[in-house]
């Protein structure tokens, strides 16, 4: 269930990754901004708005210039420090009204006027107005094309070689009475360092919005009622009536904001010195790498549920506390990339470990059960020699027997106990070889001796089934290693060939020296194996169904030992087989001293 959930999560995120990543980052940014409790702050600015009521009483949109005159005149009385105007005044209108506005501007202290980029040209206020301003600032609202939210504004905008600062920046500069000191990375005004690196976006600055209502807003109609609120402040004067707004802007709180308020918030961002800066690409990459490493280590080092628990905690932290904490310090990480990386790597690590552990468990379980089977078999096999030893010794103690009989019985006890010891030894060898603990001799011996000894030993067993064993070629070559082990291995191949053949068939042994390799092959005409069985026969305790059905007793240990012995000698096994037709087991060994025949061949 949890696994499905993880998969579903991965999938969902993967799906979203394609087209939603940027939007998710934005939503997360907005959410984090809303979740940040604003520290107490006394705003330095006031928005003076031409609101719906003002428009209604003063004659609508066409009366904007007389309204501005009225506002400036009233402001002149309450004496704000700076007045930044957010109404474009580039067209000539009614001469009387313009003259009145010019007069009002003349009596305004520290007036900043807006300019706008139209096409590739700056559209400035009429010269009569422009001459009265201490500065011109552009009013590009920095609206996000995706969702209409204004999150950042370009502090600098250049066209035709003419650069203009943002209206809010100019207002801040004039308020502080300082110059702007530029560097490629930031702007400095007085003691405030504004992190706005020069880029294609014109030194973008994230606006650290205050919650709605934090910056006082006064209607033009009510300026004279609030002299205290306005005196000495930086006033942003513009249209707040949304019906007249030129573009519909939203702030990250999801509320509609007039452009003039965006400038005021940008201004307060600078005044507070509480900047939000996007994390650099390299730190995003570093964070993602760290998260991947944490996920990997968690599932590698911790067992089962503990890993899942820690993985879940890490995911939770990455999705909530981590971005919030960075945000608190003014660093904005993209939300999507780290979260996606954490999810995908956690899911990947978890499923990998899940399957890995399950596979190991299954393997060790099947080994255990085969091991138990083998123990049963050994215990069963031990019974025969034990019974013989027990019986013989009892007879010997109970009865007085003729010397010949006594001798016979004690010889039997001796050989049966040797058989027992051999059985135990073989069994232990299997384990030790498997663990790589077996010590191997390293001495030269003739391959022919091994073959000869084994053929002699297997003779009686083959005879019982009337199976003819033929040595088809002469055996040449010297091997280096453990002769006893090699004999054990080759003997195993011979007994298997006899065991898994019906009576009156033939077993052929061949030897071939080629390129410094000795190929010792045992070919039978027995029950054979299919492809699938062939893949498993060297596994410890594996037996084919066919072999079980043949009624031959076995442990499934022999071949695993053979393979280990051969590979300990630097060689390999090759097997071909066909069900019902027979099998051919070939030991390919390194012949360290070239055979005479081969040397002769080369000379010839
Ligand atoms: P055992 O013979 O004790 O079962 P081995 O490890 O020697 O164990 O062999 C493993 C399995 O490989 C056998 O059980 C049998 O299924 C198969 N096998 C081995 N040799 C032959 C052969 N010559 N012909 C057919 N099957 C064989």
């Amino acid at each position: 269930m949890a696994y499905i959930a993880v998969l579903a999560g991965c999938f969902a995120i993967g799906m979203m990754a394609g087209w939603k990543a940027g939007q998710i980052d934005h939503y997360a940014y907005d959410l984090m901004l809303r979740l940040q409790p604003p520290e107490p702050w006394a705003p330095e600015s006031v928005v003076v708005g031409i609101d719906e009521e003002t428009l209604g009483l003063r004659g609508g949109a066409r009366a904007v210039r007389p309204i501005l005159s009225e506002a400036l005149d009233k402001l002149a009385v309450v004496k704000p420090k700076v007045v930044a105007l957010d109404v474009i005044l580039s067209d000539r209108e009614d001469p009387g009204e313009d003259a009145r506005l010019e007069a009002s501007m003349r009596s305004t202290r520290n007036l900043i006027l807006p300019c706008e980029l139209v096409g590739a040209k700056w559209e400035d206020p009429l010269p009569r107005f422009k001459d009265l301003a201490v500065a011109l600032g552009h009013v590009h609202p920095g609206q996000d094309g995706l969702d209409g939210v204004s999150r950042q504004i370009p502090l600098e905008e250049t066209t035709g070689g003419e650069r203009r600062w943002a209206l809010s920046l100019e207002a801040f500069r004039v308020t502080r009475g300082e110059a702007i000191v530029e560097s490629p990375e930031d702007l400095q005004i007085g003691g405030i360092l504004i992190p706005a690196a020069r880029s294609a976006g014109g030194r973008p600055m994230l606006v650290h919005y205050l919650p709605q209502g934090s910056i006082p807003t006064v209607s033009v109609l009510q300026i004279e009622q609030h002299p205290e609120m306005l005196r000495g402040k930086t006033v942003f004067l513009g249209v707040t009536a949304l019906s007249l707004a030129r573009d519909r802007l939203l702030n990250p709180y999801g509320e509609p904001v007039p452009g003039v308020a965006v400038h005021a918030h940008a201004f307060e961002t600078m005044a507070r010195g509480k900047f939000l800066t996007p994390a650099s690409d390299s730190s995003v990459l570093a964070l993602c790498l760290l998260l991947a490493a944490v996920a990997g280590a968690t599932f590698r080092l911790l067992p089962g549920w503990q890993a899942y628990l820690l993985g879940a905690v890490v995911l939770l932290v990455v999705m909530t506390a981590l971005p919030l904490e960075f945000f608190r310090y003014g660093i904005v990480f993209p939300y999507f990339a780290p979260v996606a990386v954490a999810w995908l790597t956690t899911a990947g690590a978890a499923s990998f470990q899940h399957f890995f552990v399950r596979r190991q468990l299954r393997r060790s379980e099947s080994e255990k059960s085969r091991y138990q089977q083998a123990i049963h078999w050994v215990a069963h096999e031990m019974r025969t020699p034990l019974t013989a030893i027990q019986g013989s010794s009892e007879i010997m103690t109970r009865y007085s027997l003729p010397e010949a009989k006594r001798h016979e019985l004690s010889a039997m006890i001796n050989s049966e106990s040797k058989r027992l010891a051999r059985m135990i030894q073989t069994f232990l060898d299997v384990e030790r070889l498997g663990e790589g603990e077996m010590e191997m001799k390293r001495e030269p011996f003739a391959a022919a001796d091994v073959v000869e000894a084994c053929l002699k030993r297997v003779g009686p067993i083959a005879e019982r089934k009337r199976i003819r064993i033929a040595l088809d070629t002469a055996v040449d070559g010297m091997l280096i290693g453990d002769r006893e082990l090699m004999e054990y291995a080759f003997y195993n191949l011979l007994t298997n060939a006899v065991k898994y053949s019906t009576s009156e068939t033939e077993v052929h042994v061949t030897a071939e020296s080629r390129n410094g390799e000795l190929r010792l092959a045992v070919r039978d005409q027995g029950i054979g194996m299919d492809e699938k069985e062939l893949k498993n026969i060297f596994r410890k305790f594996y037996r084919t169904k066919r072999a079980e059905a043949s009624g031959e007793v076995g442990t499934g240990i022999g071949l695993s030992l053979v393979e280990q012995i051969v590979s300990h000698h630097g060689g390999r096994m090759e097997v071909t087989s066909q069900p019902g037709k027979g099998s051919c087991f070939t030991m390919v060994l390194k012949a360290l001293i070239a055979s005479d025949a081969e040397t002769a061949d080369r000379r010839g």
Side-chain angles (χ1 to χ4, degrees):
M1 194 57 214
Y3 185 56
I4 305 247
V6 166
L7 279 184
C10 277
F11 176 72
I13 288 173
M15 288 295 288
M16 279 194 283
W19 71 92
K20 275 279 186 185
Q23 202 49 35
I24 289 174
D25 289 345
H26 284 332
Y27 288 149
Y29 173 84
D30 297 350
L31 190 67
M32 287 190 284
L33 192 76
R34 276 178 243 171
L35 289 175
Q36 288 297 310
E39 65 282 26
W41 173 250
E44 293 180 24
S45 62
V46 179
V47 173
V48 172
I50 302 173
D51 55 6
E52 305 284 2
E53 204 188 344
T54 316
L55 287 174
L57 283 174
R58 298 290 188 264
R62 270 176 303 124
V64 166
R65 288 193 189 179
I67 295 174
L68 284 179
S69 298
E70 177 187 343
L72 290 176
D73 292 346
K74 286 177 175 176
L75 283 171
V77 177
V78 295
K79 293 192 167 46
K81 190 166 190 180
V82 173
V83 177
L85 206 70
D86 182 23
V87 178
I88 299 295
L89 302 165
S90 54
D91 298 327
R92 223 176 287 276
E93 281 178 16
D94 179 272
E97 284 176 9
D98 284 357
R100 194 188 146 202
L101 182 55
E102 187 189 329
S104 303
M105 285 184 180
R106 215 171 276 284
S107 55
T108 302
R109 190 163 61 119
N110 289 336
L111 178 70
I112 300 172
L113 291 183
C115 58
E116 202 178 26
L117 202 58
V118 177
K121 258 185 65 191
W122 284 114
E123 203 164 87
D124 287 345
L126 294 173
R128 64 192 303 181
F129 302 137
K130 187 175 167 182
D131 292 344
L132 300 173
V134 294
L136 288 184
H138 79 76
V139 287
H140 194 304
Q143 183 178 19
D144 199 299
L146 271 177
D147 55 9
V149 176
S150 165
R151 297 186 180 85
Q152 60 181 21
I153 59 162
L155 288 186
E156 157 184 287
E157 200 93 80
T158 308
T159 192
E162 205 174 341
R163 195 251 318 262
R164 298 280 163 83
W165 299 112
L167 186 78
S168 51
L169 184 71
E170 287 288 10
F172 184 62
R173 173 181 73 81
V174 174
T175 304
R176 290 292 147 99
E178 305 267 2
I180 299 174
V181 181
E182 300 181 53
S183 86
E185 292 308 313
D186 40 50
L187 298 174
Q188 197 177 352
I189 295 177
I192 300 272
L193 199 69
I194 305 167
R198 190 171 287 146
S199 74
R203 292 192 185 266
M205 180 191 79
L206 284 164
V207 178
H208 202 161
Y209 281 90
L210 290 163
Q212 207 181 30
S214 302
I215 299 178
T217 303
V218 176
S219 161
V220 168
L221 299 175
Q222 286 167 347
I223 294 175
E224 58 269 57
Q225 271 116 311
H226 302 282
E228 290 310 315
M229 198 191 270
L230 290 156
R231 183 164 304 128
K233 291 292 163 69
T234 301
V235 166
F236 286 89
L237 173 57
V239 178
T240 54
L242 290 173
S243 63
L244 213 67
R246 284 178 304 162
D247 28 34
R248 301 219 155 257
L249 290 176
L250 290 173
N251 65 12
Y253 294 89
E255 301 150 347
V257 275
V260 63
V262 174
H263 303 311
H265 281 275
F267 171 88
E268 294 295 345
T269 304
M270 295 178 231
R272 288 157 75 201
K274 292 272 176 209
F275 298 101
L276 296 167
T277 37
S280 68
D281 288 350
S282 58
S283 48
V284 174
L285 186 68
L287 177 71
C288 289
L289 282 175
L290 180 75
L291 290 174
V294 166
T298 303
F299 285 89
R300 181 95 202 107
L301 303 176
L302 288 184
W305 66 269
Q306 291 177 23
Y308 284 98
L309 191 69
L310 185 64
V313 169
V314 169
L315 280 183
L316 208 66
V317 168
V318 171
M319 290 171 72
T320 56
L322 192 75
L324 263 177
E325 201 51 33
F326 276 120
F327 203 90
R328 209 184 301 286
Y329 289 102
I331 303 167
V332 183
F333 266 91
Y335 188 75
F336 183 80
V339 167
V341 165
W343 265 97
L344 292 176
T345 52
T346 303
S351 37
F352 177 82
Q353 289 297 336
H354 179 78
F355 285 119
F356 183 72
V357 167
R358 260 233 316 242
R359 208 177 49 201
Q360 271 198 332
L361 197 76
R362 219 179 314 158
R363 189 187 296 166
S364 81
E365 256 174 15
S366 77
E367 256 176 36
K368 205 167 100 190
S369 84
R370 284 175 201 287
Y371 188 67
Q372 279 169 346
Q373 278 174 17
I375 294 226
H376 280 154
W377 179 79
V378 170
H380 183 259
E381 290 293 289
M382 275 180 169
R383 240 178 250 155
T384 325
L386 274 177
T387 317
I389 292 170
Q390 214 178 359
S392 315
S393 58
E394 253 178 44
I395 293 170
M396 280 168 76
T397 42
R398 231 179 253 176
Y399 310 100
S400 65
L401 297 167
E403 189 56 26
K405 191 66 186 170
R406 275 176 68 90
H407 195 79
E408 192 191 315
L409 284 180
S410 63
M412 149 114 87
I413 289 174
N414 188 277
S415 75
E416 288 300 304
S417 47
K418 271 189 189 147
R419 206 175 121 195
L420 264 181
R422 226 179 15 248
M423 255 162 75
I424 291 168
Q425 192 56 46
T426 311
F427 199 73
L428 290 179
D429 283 355
V430 175
E431 288 311 297
R432 299 223 318 272
L433 251 186
E435 317 260 312
E437 281 175 15
M438 182 92 150
E439 273 197 23
M440 223 180 65
K441 287 189 209 132
R442 297 220 138 265
E443 47 193 31
F445 56 89
D449 292 350
V450 173
V451 174
E452 197 183 314
C454 291
L455 285 177
K456 205 189 270 169
R457 266 168 68 198
V458 83
I461 309 172
E463 247 164 53
R464 241 177 274 156
K465 283 178 95 171
R466 290 189 301 284
I467 289 175
R468 190 174 86 88
I469 303 190
L471 178 61
D472 292 350
T473 53
V475 186
D476 288 314
M478 295 293 286
L479 301 171
I480 280 197
D482 195 317
R483 185 192 149 149
E484 219 166 300
L485 284 180
M486 197 51 77
E487 227 182 276
Y488 178 95
F490 192 63
Y491 181 69
N492 234 289
L493 296 185
L494 285 176
T495 48
N496 274 352
V498 172
K499 240 163 63 173
Y500 301 116
S501 294
T502 43
S503 48
E504 319 223 320
T505 52
E506 291 184 351
V507 172
H508 291 267
V509 175
T510 53
E512 193 186 345
S513 290
R514 200 197 302 156
N515 303 333
E517 280 183 342
L518 175 64
R519 301 171 63 88
L520 274 181
V522 177
R523 184 191 311 277
D524 64 42
Q525 300 167 339
I527 58 174
M529 288 162 281
D530 62 28
E531 294 267 313
K532 229 172 99 196
E533 293 168 332
L534 260 182
K535 284 198 188 110
N536 288 310
I537 49 169
F538 292 109
R539 272 174 46 196
K540 220 194 268 181
F541 307 127
Y542 175 83
R543 302 201 73 211
T544 63
K545 291 240 164 58
R546 241 180 285 275
E548 300 272 11
S550 73
E552 289 290 348
V553 198
T555 51
I557 290 173
L559 280 183
S560 83
L561 267 180
V562 169
E563 201 201 21
Q564 285 179 59
I565 291 171
V566 169
S567 75
H568 273 71
H569 281 81
R572 63 180 190 277
M573 290 298 302
E574 287 178 6
V575 192
T576 54
S577 188
Q578 255 186 309
K581 292 252 168 73
S583 319
C584 180
F585 284 77
T586 309
M587 287 176 158
V588 185
L589 297 162
K590 263 191 232 155
L592 292 181
I593 302 166
S595 73
D596 295 353
E598 213 181 343
T599 331
D601 260 10
R602 275 204 213 113
R603 276 199 206 111

